[in-house]
Each structure stands twice: as structure tokens, then as C-alpha cells.
Amino acid sequence: MSRKILVPVDGSPLSRQALEHSLEEFEDATVVALHVLDPSEPGYSTPTPVDVRTEPPQGSEEWYERAHEEEESVFEEVREIAAEYDAEVTTESTTGEPSREIVDYAEENDVDHVVIGSHGRTGPTRLLLGSVAEVVVRRAPVSVTVVRDVEAL
Amino acid sequence: MSRKILVPVDGSPLSRQALEHSLEEFEDATVVALHVLDPSEPGYSTPTPVDVRTEPPQGSEEWYERAHEEEESVFEEVREIAAEYDAEVTTESTTGEPSREIVDYAEENDVDHVVIGSHGRTGPTRLLLGSVAEVVVRRAPVSVTVVRDVEAL
């Protein structure tokens, strides 16, 4: 039976690298790209810059509509990367607090390994590990690879 | 140029699994097994149970002598696992606080990836992540895989 690798994606450069890492290192695995719509954090789920002055209210119908459009562009990129590697990647979407959704997904879907970027879209900071990755490493029921952007350090 | 994978080893079941994971997932890589002698924590560097009543004083010459013997048995096991995988593994020894030594080694020796067990010899606890692995994930300059023993959960 093929192993199932979970890669949380948010359209950030490091989530792209995490997906590439998965496709390079886990050949013959089933790769699932999971995007989490986070109504409490508009910046997390949107790859384009957010203008707070024109931003629809978080969690509103309009917000979800736009978030789903953004998500579609994240998944489009996932499919492009998969095509480059001549691989198939399943896309999944869920809504909630990202680290919790990622851990829950891993628990409930027989995931064998999680590959996650050390940071989401907020990019490298003084800290080397973002909060989502940190919680996932702490709580995931399976082995986790944290992909770090060596170039950016 | 071949990638260099660093695997901290301490004779624990999870460090064995981390080494096996490295040899399975990173073919053609150079694998370095690093053991850290920690004079502040006799249990960490010794694969056999410690009897505090007969234990030589930590950091004493006698302590180091015994720690080096224990280390040799850790390295012997590393060589046995390497032989099973028909692979070569370099063994390295250093002395100090384990997480710091591991991060320093990665920084100073062009390591490309660290593979570490989620726990050391103290075994699974209520927490899913031991303190050494946690610090290594936070501070390592490169990508890190935390190997978790799924069977034990």
C-alpha cells in the first residue's frame, strides 16, 4: 500500500518548496495538498496582499467567496507543480484554525507523514519556526518534516 | 554533490528508527550519526540503565570512561543498521548540551537535512515532542524530519 503524505499549502514560497520536497523525496507516495481557510486570519489563506480598508468582513459570505477564489489559485499552482514532477496530487480544503485542522486531518485520514514549510505566507522572521509548523510538529500523530528555506537565512 | 544527512543517535529505539528512516528515504546521501556525550545528564548518553547509587560522579574521569564505552555500543549498533541497508554511515562524537551540539554541528558541517527521533531514551511521554527534538526543529539552519513512533501512541 502506498504511503500518504500530507502537505499543507497556503500559496507561500515555502509551501511550494514543501510540496516539491514531498514529490522529490517520497516517490510512489500519495500526496495530499491541504488548504485551510482561516476566517480569523485573512492573510493566511490568501496569496495576494490584503488591503484592510477594502477587505470584506472576515467570515462574511463575501469573504468566503473571495477566499475560495484565492484557494482555487493556490490549487492551480499545486497542479502546476504536480505536472512538473509528472505526479498526481490530491487537493483538499477545510475551514478552521490551520494547525488544528492539519493535525486533525492527519489523524482522521491515515496520513503517514506530514511535510510542512517552516513558515506560512508571513515569511521568514527572526524566529526560525512559525507557529503553525510548531504546533504541527508538537501534535501530529506521525513523523513530520519541517522544510526550511536555506537561501533565506 | 551528495547531500549530507545528520542523524543524532543515543541508542534509543527512536534514534534507531530515525537512522533507518534516513537510509530508506535519502538514498545516495552521506549519513552522519552524531552522538553527544552530555555530562549534565547521565541517562541521555547511556543506553543501559543507570544506578545512581553506584554511578561515578558526572563529568569525572571514570564517568567519561564509561560514557565512551556506552558510546561505542551505540556506534556498534549504528554500524549494524548501516550493514543491513548496505550503506555507509559516518560516526561522530561530541560533548556538551545535546540540542546545542546538534545545531552547531549542522551549522558548521554543511549538513543539508537533520533526521531526529521525537524522543530520546526517556521514551514516549505525555508530550509528543521531547525537548532536544523541539530545540533542534526550532534552531536548525536546515530542514528537519522528526520521526515519531506511531506504534507507541
Side-chain angles (χ1 to χ4, degrees), chain A residues 70-145:
Chain A
E70 301 278 7
E71 180 172 77
E72 197 36 54
S73 80
V74 171
F75 286 159
E76 186 52 42
E77 186 179 65
V78 165
R79 287 186 285 267
E80 283 168 14
I81 293 169
E84 279 171 34
Y85 284 83
D86 205 15
E88 266 193 54
V89 176
T90 306
T91 56
E92 292 276 356
S93 171
T94 182
T95 300
E97 196 282 305
S99 58
R100 181 176 195 132
E101 294 297 319
I102 294 162
V103 171
D104 284 356
Y105 188 95
E107 277 175 355
E108 291 159 13
N109 292 277
D110 289 328
V111 164
D112 296 294
H113 195 105
V114 177
V115 179
I116 187 169
S118 61
H119 283 90
R121 289 201 334 97
T122 47
T125 63
R126 209 166 47 79
L127 295 168
L128 291 179
L129 193 65
S131 60
V132 174
E134 179 170 353
V135 173
V136 171
V137 170
R138 275 179 178 277
R139 304 213 181 137
V142 296
S143 302
V144 177
T145 295

Side-chain angles (χ1 to χ4, degrees), chain A residues 5-9 12-26 31 81 114-119 145-148, chain B residues 143:
Chain A
I5 312 294
L6 179 64
V7 187
V9 291
S12 67
L14 263 175
S15 91
R16 271 196 291 282
Q17 285 184 39
L19 182 60
E20 289 168 352
H21 179 94
S22 305
L23 296 170
E24 278 164 22
E25 303 295 346
F26 298 91
V31 175
I81 293 169
V114 177
V115 179
I116 187 169
S118 61
H119 283 90
T145 295
V146 174
V147 173
R148 191 159 274 139
Chain B
S143 301

